[in-house]
Amino acid sequence: MRLGGRLAAAIEVLSDVEARRRPVADALKDWGLAHRFAGSGDRAAIGNIVYDALRKKRSYGFRMGDEGAAALGFAAVLDGLGMETAELAAALDGDRFAPAMPGDDQVGRFGGADLSEAPDAVRADVPDWIAARLEASLGDGWVEEAAALSTRPPLDLRVNTLKADRDKVVKALAPFDATASDLAPEGIRIAAIEGAGRHPNVQVEAGFQKGWFEVQDEGSQLAALLSGAAPGEQVLDLCAGAGGKSLALAAMMENTGQIHAADSDRHRLAPIHERLARAGSRNVQVHDPREDMAGLIGSMDLTLVDAPCTGSGTWRRRPDAKWRLSENALAKRIEEQDAVLDRAARFVRPGGRLAYVTCSLIADENAARIAAFLERHAGEGFAVADTGARWAAMLPEAIERCRVRDLAGGSVITMTPKLTGTDGFFFALLERAG
């Protein structure tokens, strides 16, 4: 497919996403199934245009004077591919599948618009209703922090130290320009794609099949490390999902002790079995959602809650989610977070720890949930640990690379794309008196 056909397809997908308010991944998949002539390179290029348009929907709309699918598609090509208007017009000329070029007034506006004159929510590329919440969470620099969620993300991997070391995996992935991560000691990064490029499918690589590495954002890796899981401990991963953090904890614990992986949704949990086998993780016991776990109450050294959340910290990877998010959905997530924290508390032994993690940058889901938990569980011996000090001890060269907030005598941290170079993550650690 030529650029015109790819752009027309991207506009079609964007129109579908807007009209049906459906996940962009589903819309792209359906388009591919209906247009089997399109090769993998075509599908990747179309996906780039669609995702770029959704990441910067408001700033592109401001610059084009139009938030329609066609305007956003053209903006994404001009910006994402770094093309000049005349260059794009020449590329589309004579292509019968290409959409009509916007008028000179619109493309001129796109090139000359001054985003500094736009409202904060537009410059941040977020819905109006969420702007105040992000400002409360991130402070004076919230616009720049939120705008960083509109950039293309890197591909992050975690070396499985049960089977390999980082040098070995970096060497195996050398054709993809893989490098050691800045912060996570077992992390590897493949830089964000540029132009019409695409990330490699690392899951077909021999190293992945052998269990040498897993795909995991560097922020998620750091959250697992901050939990302090140690060899021989009893650990409960209460919202294990597909098992990413359980796998990281198993390697940290050197396949000793016991990790209990549980999730309320068996569909989310299903992939964990294959992943554990490939990684050689032998100290993980997977619990069916219907299973009675009463025998674990009061016996865990560490209970990890990777809580259900809005996912605002992952908007680089799932930009359509920010336009579907509603205040009702946020309220529902807050209820779920309180409920899972209350459940988790029952499993923590005296002297044990409760780690709370979200991939959200909204304070209502983060520090506010910890404060509310402490009120509900007053007298049960829970106290907020000094996570900022833990970060400084773990990464003394990167003390300023996360946001530290004092809370109830301890501290909690937030990682962001702009500051940490990761997805957005919140981490709090509660210690229970012995």
Side-chain angles (χ1 to χ4, degrees):
M1 295 176 66
R2 295 169 60 184
L3 177 59
R6 290 174 170 179
L7 176 53
I11 292 170
E12 181 181 339
V13 172
L14 287 166
S15 297
D16 184 26
V17 169
E18 179 65 24
R20 299 168 64 183
R21 293 185 63 81
R22 62 196 304 236
V24 65
D26 292 348
L28 284 167
K29 180 181 178 181
D30 287 350
W31 187 92
L33 291 173
H35 301 81
R36 294 184 181 275
F37 61 84
S40 60
D42 294 321
R43 294 194 299 272
I46 293 165
N48 284 346
I49 298 169
V50 169
Y51 275 86
D52 284 345
L54 291 172
R55 288 185 183 108
K56 299 185 177 182
K57 178 179 177 179
R58 298 209 68 183
S59 60
Y60 282 168
F62 176 84
R63 295 171 66 187
M64 293 290 284
D66 180 1
E67 283 193 2
L72 295 177
F74 274 98
V77 169
L78 288 167
D79 189 49
L81 300 184
M83 300 184 76
E84 298 292 335
T85 303
E87 182 184 5
L88 176 57
L92 302 184
D93 187 41
D95 185 347
R96 65 189 181 93
F97 297 106
M101 278 287 294
D104 291 343
D105 57 336
Q106 191 170 46
V107 293
R109 175 190 171 100
F110 180 77
D114 184 359
L115 267 181
S116 67
E117 299 176 355
D120 286 349
V122 172
R123 292 190 293 121
D125 271 305
V126 298
D128 287 332
W129 73 269
I130 206 72
R133 287 177 168 84
L134 289 174
E135 183 176 12
S137 302
L138 300 172
D140 292 340
W142 80 271
V143 172
E144 291 75 21
E145 289 279 17
L149 287 165
S150 299
T151 60
R152 292 181 177 183
L155 175 61
D156 285 348
L157 314 172
R158 178 187 56 80
V159 175
N160 176 21
T161 54
L162 298 175
K163 289 193 171 184
D165 60 48
R166 185 156 69 173
D167 288 344
K168 180 178 182 178
V169 179
V170 168
K171 183 177 180 180
L173 297 176
F176 309 125
D177 295 325
T179 59
S181 296
D182 284 348
L183 302 176
E186 307 304 338
I188 292 176
R189 173 160 291 184
I190 297 174
I193 56 178
E194 297 182 359
R198 54 177 169 165
H199 275 138
N201 181 6
V202 294
Q203 295 185 348
V204 302
E205 293 298 308
F208 180 83
Q209 299 297 326
K210 293 175 182 178
W212 292 359
F213 64 89
E214 289 285 336
V215 177
Q216 185 177 24
D217 184 79
E218 189 178 10
S220 180
Q221 297 177 47
L222 293 168
L225 290 169
L226 286 165
S227 75
E233 287 194 321
Q234 292 292 311
V235 175
L236 171 60
D237 185 356
L238 192 56
C239 305
K245 289 188 177 65
S246 288
L247 290 166
L249 296 173
M252 290 170 59
M253 295 165 63
E254 300 172 2
N255 253 345
T256 65
Q258 184 76 59
I259 299 170
H260 301 271
D263 198 279
S264 61
D265 187 330
R266 59 174 29 86
H267 296 290
R268 285 198 300 264
L269 194 60
I272 196 173
H273 300 282
E274 180 183 346
R275 297 180 75 184
L276 291 171
R278 185 175 59 246
S281 302
R282 300 187 302 274
N283 65 336
V284 181
Q285 178 182 347
V286 182
H287 294 265
D288 185 272
R290 298 191 186 99
E291 187 175 334
D292 183 3
M293 295 172 58
L296 302 181
I297 291 175
S299 63
M300 294 294 106
D301 297 298
L302 168 66
T303 298
L304 174 68
V305 175
D306 189 354
C309 68
T310 58
S312 56
T314 65
W315 281 344
R316 294 186 301 176
R317 304 179 194 280
R318 290 183 281 273
D320 53 313
K322 64 181 168 182
W323 310 118
R324 294 198 312 274
L325 182 62
S326 67
E327 293 186 83
N328 287 338
L330 173 59
K332 181 179 179 180
R333 288 290 176 262
I334 289 171
E335 290 180 3
E336 293 170 344
Q337 290 152 8
D338 287 343
V340 74
L341 274 169
D342 289 344
R343 185 179 180 220
R346 301 167 60 212
F347 294 99
V348 183
R349 69 166 178 82
R353 311 179 306 284
L354 172 56
Y356 178 73
V357 184
T358 75
C359 53
S360 173
L361 296 180
I362 300 172
D364 295 337
E365 300 184 87
N366 297 334
R369 302 282 49 81
I370 297 300
F373 172 86
L374 292 173
E375 288 185 10
R376 293 195 306 275
H377 294 268
E380 296 181 21
F382 286 101
V384 180
D386 189 352
T387 305
R390 280 178 170 259
W391 175 278
M394 187 173 78
L395 298 166
E397 302 301 318
I399 294 175
E400 304 298 325
R401 293 281 299 276
C402 72
R403 289 174 171 266
V404 181
R405 174 176 175 175
D406 293 337
L407 180 66
S411 65
V412 297
I413 69 164
T414 302
M415 295 174 265
T416 68
K418 183 177 184 295
L419 192 59
T420 322
T422 65
D423 283 351
F425 277 93
F426 172 84
F427 182 90
L429 188 68
L430 298 169
E431 296 173 330
R432 191 169 199 174

